[in-house]
Amino acid sequence: MEKRTIDPWEWGKRTNSVQAVEVKQASATLYCSGLVAIDSNGQPSTGSMREQLIQTFANLEQLITEAGYQCSDIVRLNVFTTSTTEFFTTCADRYQDWISRNGLRQAATLLEVKGLFAGLSVELEATAVK
């Protein structure tokens, strides 16, 4: 697989994503449904948004790994949250750490929504390509 990122604006270098990712000669693509902070028993988290993000990353890692992919294969990562203000003030560092640790340069969208499943406050939707 060949992966090329496109980010034509200087300000893009200061973000946690790129404007576009081109993939050529891919062998497989994994489209992940929105993932939230639900434990292995199907119970939604009652924790803070930060705690939910940590659990959601763990769920995403498990899903991608069990599907035979690596987190570094993610080319698109969308974040849905009930408060972008809270996300930036309480979760941005954890989000950036996870992105950096996995070596991602992904296309991304951050979207504030009125509500999420089971009253949760953050959801991740990923596409991985290998």
Side-chain angles (χ1 to χ4, degrees):
M1 170 195 61
E2 293 177 44
K3 184 167 49 171
R4 178 175 72 111
T5 60
I6 301 99
D7 204 347
W9 300 285
E10 187 64 28
W11 57 262
K13 294 177 184 171
R14 298 185 306 269
T15 67
N16 296 321
S17 62
V18 296
Q19 296 303 307
V21 178
E22 178 183 51
V23 177
K24 292 181 180 180
Q25 300 175 349
S27 63
T29 303
L30 179 69
Y31 299 95
C32 301
S33 293
L35 295 163
V36 293
I38 295 178
D39 68 19
S40 60
N41 296 317
Q43 295 300 310
S45 172
T46 58
S48 67
M49 183 184 288
R50 184 180 180 86
E51 293 167 331
Q52 289 181 37
L53 181 63
I54 292 166
Q55 176 65 54
T56 304
F57 275 138
N59 291 348
L60 179 59
E61 290 171 5
Q62 181 179 353
L63 175 65
I64 285 177
T65 300
E66 288 188 18
Y69 289 74
Q70 299 176 19
C71 290
S72 60
D73 294 329
I74 294 172
V75 296
R76 184 163 184 84
L77 181 63
N78 295 330
V79 179
F80 301 88
T81 180
T82 54
S83 171
T84 54
T85 300
E86 184 178 354
F87 185 86
F88 280 118
T89 58
T90 67
C91 296
D93 63 331
R94 177 62 69 173
Y95 180 83
Q96 176 58 42
D97 289 346
W98 193 86
I99 296 297
S100 295
R101 186 175 71 241
N102 288 289
L104 295 183
R105 295 285 294 153
Q106 81 293 348
T109 297
L110 173 65
L111 185 64
E112 184 171 302
V113 296
K114 185 175 179 180
L116 293 169
F117 174 76
L120 294 167
S121 58
V122 66
E123 182 170 330
L124 300 174
E125 177 186 71
T127 304
V129 178
K130 61 179 179 174

